[in-house]
Amino acid sequence: MTASSASSSSPSPGGSARSLLLAEVARATQRLADAGVPSPRFDAEELAAFVHGTERPKLHTVPDGDFDARYWEAVARREAREPLQHITGRAFFRYLELQVGPGVFVPRPETESVVGWAIDAVRAMDVVEPLIVDLCTGSGAIALALAQEVPRSRVHAVELDEAALEWARRNAEGSRVVLHHGDARTALPELSGQVDLVISNPPYIPLTEWEHVAPEARDYDPQLALFSGEDGLEMIRGLERAAHRLLRPGGMVVVEHADTQGGQVPWIFTEDRGWADAADHPDLNNRPRFATARRVAR
């Protein structure tokens, strides 16, 4: 007998060959795959865990009698390309579990590598209480991760959209992050010349690419968080001036961008505008994902 046949025929603790829930997850996986969902198996399992109040590795322990038909309501919503995180109301980012839903940009895994670089950069500065500013904070994911992983940091986060800011307030409750409602390009004049690190995941999709954006983002994420002018770089150009104003000499800026914009963003942070060491960096898939630069005295 092969290992696979032994696995499929071995009885579960409840005595059946395969639990009802796992069988339904397999059916849901196929439905999500047919609908074009990028990660059908993961999403089918995550929805099953959410509906049944358990964790993905423990799905096999759910008794057949406890199967909840609301699972198929959740699957139908995901099949229609509603974001998984909107259905469950939660998004995982580094070591955080965040509340998300309509009106706020859902944090993506790619941004975790951006934050990882920023954490290493701040630690290398050897500043006792580093001052950090997160521009276009959305759910607060970046700011909260930095506050958690750089324990003595002072973190300020700026968001223009009121709906997104409300989600950030929920997530930041009880944290050290100080939230501000305002335009990232002009915010926090009181901190000018004092900041050690400016970080941002701004809107960077060109308006011309609207029809090519995944339905989960195009139809559910706030437009303000996605699109930025004809070439997608309009907000980043504004953030370049904001970062230069906020940073102290030697301070660093970290800006996420689309993988198709690799090579373009570092050219916004030029020497004649007061920057040095402008460079692009890859994400975990080795695609150009974010640019960094160091402010110099002028």
Side-chain angles (χ1 to χ4, degrees):
M1 181 181 291
T2 65
S4 59
S5 61
S7 173
S8 61
S9 61
S10 297
S12 66
S16 59
R18 188 182 193 189
S19 79
L20 173 62
L21 181 55
L22 292 184
E24 298 299 81
V25 165
R27 290 177 55 204
T29 298
Q30 187 59 56
R31 277 180 54 174
L32 296 182
D34 291 344
V37 172
S39 51
R41 182 74 188 187
F42 175 89
D43 289 19
E45 291 179 349
E46 186 68 15
L47 290 172
F50 169 70
V51 169
H52 293 88
T54 187
E55 301 172 354
R56 286 175 53 233
K58 298 179 180 178
L59 291 175
H60 68 283
T61 67
V62 176
D64 290 355
D66 288 347
F67 176 76
D68 192 330
R70 289 177 296 179
Y71 176 56
W72 287 109
E73 296 176 12
V75 170
R77 291 171 64 184
R78 187 68 187 101
E79 190 176 21
R81 303 303 290 272
E82 184 176 348
L84 171 69
Q85 297 85 353
H86 281 203
I87 301 169
T88 64
R90 63 190 184 191
F92 299 98
F93 186 83
R94 292 184 68 87
Y95 304 104
L96 300 168
E97 180 177 328
L98 304 166
Q99 298 181 59
V100 295
V104 70
F105 181 81
V106 174
R108 268 56 169 186
E110 307 91 87
T111 308
E112 295 189 16
S113 60
V114 183
V115 174
W117 190 97
I119 290 169
D120 290 342
V122 170
R123 288 173 176 165
M125 291 176 185
D126 198 26
V127 176
V128 175
E129 296 182 343
L131 181 58
I132 299 170
V133 170
D134 173 24
L135 300 175
C136 309
T137 195
S139 66
I142 291 176
L144 288 163
L146 286 162
Q148 181 185 67
E149 297 182 56
V150 186
R152 299 189 66 178
S153 58
R154 297 166 292 154
V155 183
H156 294 258
V158 179
E159 177 55 50
L160 178 61
D161 186 83
E162 282 277 16
L165 187 64
E166 183 54 39
W167 285 105
R169 289 192 182 107
R170 297 181 201 179
N171 290 319
E173 186 175 354
S175 76
R176 300 192 323 278
V177 173
V178 181
L179 294 171
H180 304 265
H181 178 228
D183 189 322
R185 294 164 292 192
T186 57
L188 305 177
E190 66 276 15
L191 297 183
S192 293
Q194 304 174 51
V195 178
D196 297 295
L197 178 92
V198 170
I199 186 169
S200 181
N201 178 16
Y204 51 68
I205 301 175
L207 290 169
T208 54
E209 296 295 312
W210 185 89
E211 63 184 25
H212 303 297
V213 177
E216 288 87 347
R218 184 190 64 220
D219 300 338
Y220 292 93
D221 280 329
Q223 303 293 291
L224 190 64
L226 298 178
F227 300 101
S228 186
E230 292 299 314
D231 64 356
L233 300 176
E234 187 176 299
M235 176 57 81
I236 292 178
R237 293 189 186 97
L239 292 180
E240 180 270 326
R241 285 295 82 194
H244 192 273
R245 170 178 57 81
L246 288 166
L247 289 169
R248 60 167 175 81
M252 299 293 298
V253 61
V254 188
V255 180
E256 182 172 335
H257 58 72
D259 55 6
T260 56
Q261 294 164 335
Q264 299 178 60
V265 176
W267 284 102
I268 295 174
F269 297 86
T270 56
E271 290 184 10
D272 64 329
R273 296 181 73 84
W275 300 98
D277 306 326
D280 251 330
H281 303 265
D283 60 18
L284 296 177
N285 294 312
N286 206 34
R287 298 175 298 194
R289 177 58 58 186
F290 61 100
T292 64
R294 177 173 54 86
R295 187 197 187 284
V296 295
R298 288 181 60 190

